[in-house]
Amino acid sequence: METLYLIAGMALVTFIARYLMFGVARYVAFPRRLVRTLRYMPPAVLTAIIVPAVLMPAGQAVSLSYSNAYLVGGLAAFCVGWLSRNIWLTLPLGLLAFWGWQWLVGI
Amino acid sequence: MRSAIVQAADNQGVRPASSARTEFLAGVRETAPLIVGAIPFGIVYGTLAGTTGLSLMSIVAMSALVFAGSAQFIAVGLLLAAGMNWPLIVLITLVVNLRHIFYGAALAPHLRFLPLRWQIPLAFWLTDETFAVVSNRYNRTGDPLQLRWHYLGSAIFAYASWQILTVLGVTAGQLVPRVASWGLDFAMPVTFIALLIPHLKNSPMVASALVSGGVVLLAAPLPHKLDLLVATLAGAGAGIVVETLLTRKDG
């Protein structure tokens, strides 16, 4: 029974967060300046997810060391993506760089 | 709104540049590469979920009804660490998913003329990945009436993938020894790096990313991804400030 509450509760709060602004926009037109500001959200939110994941892989302290495979893999993925503009190359090569570096610094 | 767009298109004598089918397939095509990062993520998730004591059916139901990878990951972590404290897990799910309010706000101006039978499923399928792919599509030109099909294509592909990966993770994931220790968590940042790059095409977008990246490090002590919310607001604010400064200089 508690599992049911858990799943139903998670589903409900997640849907509310996702639908809320769609619903608001049915009745209220957003000010033009707000709409223009919202266009800058995708790079902001993606960077805010990426930066801690590659700079603080252990969770607490920033690691700028060469032994941080997350940072090296992230930089490699960024360079491949920037130069190739091809997501099919960026993901596999980024993962390979990460695993390769992890293996290199591990020995 | 809808008729205004149709009328504007008629007045200019343009035919819709893209059909529903083309847009749907473009949505699928632009989301498909993300599977490379989603496979390791899904397997690690399914493997962890399998050790919580939840039945396979509950785990599948959670993926089908909640459909929020990072919130589900955190929920499983809490189940393993603190047991079945469902009110706490639901509360933390809400906090972790607050960023979807921003996503909804950013997409709503494009989708506000759609009927509820479109808005409700599209909202249910809103994820980080679909938001990144669809908002990039909306920032390029396109027929506003057909763009919903792009969103639908991206959403259905992502949803189907997550369901399949959950089942694979719970079943096959158990067979791989110590899968959680392989550093597969790098799959998530590398996917987001691939999603970020297409957005970095002018200085306000770059400013948004740089400021957000700086602020998230300063705000890191905040719990439950609240640092993410603060950084996102700061980044979007930086974007509009740089845009305004550039427009002034040009004008």
Side-chain angles (χ1 to χ4, degrees):
Chain A
M1 202 59 197
E2 291 200 302
T3 307
L4 183 71
Y5 294 149
L6 174 74
I7 295 172
M10 288 177 69
L12 185 71
V13 296
T14 305
F15 181 76
I16 290 173
R18 286 171 168 162
Y19 183 74
L20 183 67
M21 296 319 276
F22 286 9
V24 169
R26 290 182 79 84
Y27 304 102
V28 187
F30 294 171
R32 186 175 290 266
R33 194 168 174 81
L34 175 65
V35 174
R36 280 169 52 209
T37 306
L38 290 169
R39 285 174 35 233
Y40 297 112
M41 292 212 16
V45 73
L46 293 169
T47 310
I49 295 172
I50 295 162
V51 166
V54 299
L55 284 182
M56 301 188 282
Q60 298 297 318
V62 172
S63 165
L64 288 169
S65 160
Y66 73 92
S67 65
N68 178 358
Y70 292 82
L71 178 58
V72 175
L75 288 173
F78 190 86
C79 294
V80 172
W82 187 263
L83 296 172
S84 72
R85 302 273 156 176
N86 183 344
I87 193 166
W88 284 111
L89 280 176
T90 311
L91 283 167
L93 289 180
L95 281 167
L96 276 179
F98 169 74
W99 280 321
W101 197 261
Q102 215 179 26
W103 179 78
L104 270 177
V105 295
I107 47 177
Chain B
M1 180 79 189
R2 185 188 169 125
S3 62
I5 290 166
V6 173
Q7 213 172 11
D10 285 350
N11 290 345
Q12 290 165 7
V14 264
R15 296 179 63 81
S18 47
S19 72
R21 192 187 142 82
T22 332
E23 284 295 338
F24 184 90
L25 292 176
V28 172
R29 200 174 50 240
E30 287 162 28
T31 311
L34 308 177
I35 196 84
V36 179
I39 289 172
F41 186 86
I43 289 175
V44 173
Y45 168 71
T47 312
L48 279 180
T51 60
T52 54
L54 292 179
S55 66
L56 174 62
M57 218 184 83
S58 303
I59 297 168
V60 169
M62 191 187 280
S63 281
L65 298 172
V66 181
F67 184 47
S70 50
Q72 287 177 243
F73 220 104
I74 291 168
V76 161
L78 285 169
L79 278 173
L80 289 171
M84 174 56 87
N85 183 348
W86 68 266
L88 174 78
I89 298 175
V90 168
L91 184 69
I92 290 178
T93 301
L94 176 65
V95 176
V96 167
N97 281 332
L98 284 179
R99 68 187 190 285
H100 290 94
I101 297 178
F102 294 159
Y103 298 169
L107 294 177
H110 305 288
L111 304 170
R112 60 193 293 259
F113 56 88
L114 292 180
L116 278 179
R117 66 169 197 282
W118 273 90
Q119 277 194 345
I120 288 175
L122 291 187
F124 172 75
W125 280 321
L126 184 57
T127 56
D128 300 308
E129 288 80 2
T130 289
F131 170 64
V133 165
V134 167
S135 55
N136 190 40
R137 179 80 186 107
Y138 283 11
N139 287 341
R140 304 198 302 264
T141 51
D143 175 359
L145 285 178
Q146 300 295 354
L147 285 177
R148 69 179 108 167
W149 292 99
H150 181 277
Y151 189 142
L152 191 69
S154 170
I156 288 177
F157 183 87
Y159 188 70
S161 309
W162 183 236
Q163 308 315 317
I164 294 167
L165 287 170
T166 301
V167 176
L168 275 180
V170 180
T171 52
Q174 310 290 344
L175 306 174
V176 190
R178 297 187 307 115
V179 70
S181 66
W182 287 16
L184 291 180
D185 45 347
F186 183 68
M188 191 269 294
V190 79
T191 304
F192 285 80
I193 288 169
L195 284 170
L196 169 66
I197 289 168
H199 289 279
L200 301 177
K201 56 195 166 206
N202 54 43
S203 7
M205 291 286 189
V206 173
S208 168
L210 288 176
V211 168
S212 171
V215 169
V216 81
L217 288 177
L218 297 175
L222 296 174
H224 306 314
K225 297 206 176 185
L226 287 173
D227 51 342
L228 175 64
L229 300 187
V230 174
T232 304
L233 287 179
I240 193 70
V241 166
V242 172
E243 185 198 288
T244 311
L245 291 175
L246 289 175
T247 327
R248 283 217 189 114
K249 206 168 69 182
D250 293 345

